[in-house]
Amino acid sequence: MATVTRLPHPDMSEVRLTDVLFALSDPARLEIVRELADGPLSMAECGATNPALPKSTKSHLMKVLREAGVVRNEPDGRRRVLSLRRAELDETFPGLLDSVLGSAPPTTPANRDG
Amino acid sequence: MATVTRLPHPDMSEVRLTDVLFALSDPARLEIVRELADGPLSMAECGATNPALPKSTKSHLMKVLREAGVVRNEPDGRRRVLSLRRAELDETFPGLLDSVLGSAPPTTPANRDG
DNA sequence: ATCACGGTTCAAGTATTGTCGAACCATGGC
DNA sequence: GCCATGGTTCGACAATACTTGAACCGTGAT
């Protein structure tokens, strides 16, 4: 019976700006988003910055990002592919992602995000 | 001895992107920021949306915004004037404030921000 | 079928945030 | 001086959020 491999994703119409901002307001989550900005990654590939992170923790971070409408999480064999919902976000919150991703990445003068 | 009427404000160099995002990720705080986008307001004038809000709560919201570098809080007689640190924010996080303020204000189709 | 793998979910403890009354503190007006 | 006003800070409690091990679940390989 109806297995659950397909996780629920909010429609953009029910995504609130504050939820997106909250999802991006955590350094670990923001780092993940930065990684995904270059293209989809599997769970295992993702989080290069934080290799020691327990998988349950990483899974939880992803859940927050997913429920906020920031990230898509789709099954692919026995892996899962994470991807930024960039086009949809750009349409719903124009310029937001660009400005967040454009702002002072990790290794910057004052390390502004992390 | 050294009275405290002048509250501490972080220099932009020590403001982290994630802190700004966090400050903006609360509907009540975001609403305040929206009000201040039209110009400075005193504490009392501000928060028109939430008139019943206890003053200690409002003061706390302001503290979070101030400590995140989003807002300035300066004494003016026996009032305090709140203002957006817009120019500084624009310089440090180009486009961020614009996109946040531009995105779907309160009374919008799906009420996207809480 | 069995097993290892990649990942999610559960549960429980910890930590961080939010809320708000009460006390306090400058200031301006009288 | 004294008082009202506008606002901050403190303290205590409620509510969220974070972290993590353990259990569980599909899938692919053997």
Side-chain angles (χ1 to χ4, degrees), chain B residues 41-55:
Chain B
L41 290 174
S42 72
M43 207 70 175
E45 295 163 332
C46 205
T49 330
N50 234 342
L53 203 65
K55 57 181 182 172

Side-chain angles (χ1 to χ4, degrees), chain B residues 34-114:
Chain B
R34 286 212 165 96
E35 292 180 18
L36 293 180
D38 296 329
L41 290 174
S42 72
M43 207 70 175
E45 295 163 332
C46 205
T49 330
N50 234 342
L53 203 65
K55 57 181 182 172
S56 56
T57 303
K58 202 192 318 189
S59 190
H60 178 67
L61 294 177
M62 290 302 184
K63 184 183 185 186
V64 175
L65 287 169
R66 174 171 51 83
E67 291 179 337
V70 175
V71 145
R72 200 174 286 284
N73 182 339
E74 289 180 310
D76 171 36
R78 61 179 155 183
R79 315 182 313 158
R80 273 167 184 287
V81 174
L82 288 311
S83 55
L84 245 190
R85 297 178 67 175
R86 189 194 260 281
E88 295 166 277
L89 285 167
D90 284 350
E91 187 180 359
T92 311
F93 308 112
L96 180 59
L97 219 48
D98 283 343
S99 66
V100 168
L101 293 175
S103 280
T107 43
T108 250
N111 201 13
R112 279 198 174 72
D113 61 320

Side-chain angles (χ1 to χ4, degrees), chain A residues 13 16-17 25 92 99 110 112, chain B residues 13 16-18 92 94 110 112:
Chain A
S13 67
R16 290 178 311 163
L17 171 59
S25 75
T92 310
S99 66
R112 281 199 174 68
Chain B
S13 68
R16 291 179 310 166
L17 171 59
T18 47
T92 311
R112 279 198 174 72

Side-chain angles (χ1 to χ4, degrees), chain A residues 12-19 21-27 30 34 92-104 110-114, chain B residues 12-19 21-27 30 34 92-104 110-114:
Chain A
M12 262 348 215
S13 67
E14 50 189 356
V15 170
R16 290 178 311 163
L17 171 59
T18 47
D19 294 335
L21 293 175
F22 181 82
L24 299 176
S25 75
D26 176 72
L30 181 54
R34 286 211 166 98
T92 310
F93 307 112
L96 180 60
L97 220 48
D98 283 343
S99 66
V100 168
L101 293 175
S103 281
N111 202 14
R112 281 199 174 68
D113 62 320
Chain B
M12 263 348 217
S13 68
E14 50 189 356
V15 170
R16 291 179 310 166
L17 171 59
T18 47
D19 293 336
L21 294 175
F22 180 81
L24 298 176
S25 75
D26 177 72
L30 181 53
R34 286 212 165 96
T92 311
F93 308 112
L96 180 59
L97 219 48
D98 283 343
S99 66
V100 168
L101 293 175
S103 280
N111 201 13
R112 279 198 174 72
D113 61 320

